[in-house]
Amino acid sequence: MSENNKREEGLQDYLDLLEKMAEYLRQQSIRNYVIFEIGINLGIRVTDFTCQKVRFYKEACENGFVEMIPSKTSRYKKKIRVYMSDELKTLITEYIKDMKEDEWMFPSRKG
């Protein structure tokens, strides 16, 4: 087997695992599934995207991108912009449809 075929097979195994994880989370908790999908699709630190209110995501879906200053680089005040896929926008829009704009997007389960 060539080196390229090994890489492709490894990548396919990784993608299959991600799909299995997504399916498991989708069945267990829509909240955790949405967190997973945002993390995988946007590549932003969990602490940066879970501390946002619904308004932030509503605007992001309307604009087609997330724009923020990541906490790790906040002292440099460097804003990042990450574009969202149509699938992610649809998922988020469906998740927040019955939520108020001033609610936390992902309220803590601890209270």
Side-chain angles (χ1 to χ4, degrees):
M1 184 180 282
S2 74
E3 191 65 32
N4 282 341
N5 287 344
K6 286 181 187 177
R7 279 190 218 132
E8 288 175 16
E9 189 175 293
L11 178 59
Q12 189 58 52
D13 290 345
Y14 178 72
L15 294 174
D16 291 344
L17 178 61
L18 286 177
E19 187 57 40
K20 287 177 185 175
M21 289 171 63
E23 186 57 36
Y24 173 79
L25 290 170
R26 186 181 356 233
Q27 293 173 5
Q28 298 299 314
S29 162
I30 188 66
R31 173 190 174 274
N32 292 347
Y33 172 65
V34 173
I35 290 172
F36 176 80
E37 287 294 330
I38 290 172
I40 292 296
N41 284 281
L42 297 182
I44 297 173
R45 293 176 177 276
V46 172
T47 54
D48 287 333
F49 72 77
T50 55
C51 66
Q52 302 295 334
K53 294 202 174 186
V54 171
R55 180 181 312 105
F56 174 84
Y57 283 100
K58 185 176 180 183
E59 290 173 3
C61 288
E62 290 169 359
N63 296 331
F65 58 85
V66 169
E67 192 169 67
M68 66 171 56
I69 298 173
S71 59
K72 182 118 177 147
T73 60
S74 62
R75 67 181 173 177
Y76 302 114
K77 306 292 183 216
K78 185 177 180 183
K79 217 178 247 192
I80 63 164
R81 180 181 286 184
V82 182
Y83 290 89
M84 302 167 69
S85 68
D86 290 338
E87 293 84 7
L88 184 60
K89 288 187 283 189
T90 300
L91 175 65
I92 291 171
T93 300
E94 183 65 25
Y95 179 72
I96 65 174
K97 72 179 179 187
D98 296 326
M99 299 172 83
K100 295 178 182 152
E101 286 192 358
D102 62 340
E103 285 183 66
W104 293 106
M105 177 78 162
F106 303 107
S108 169
R109 292 181 175 196
K110 295 180 182 177

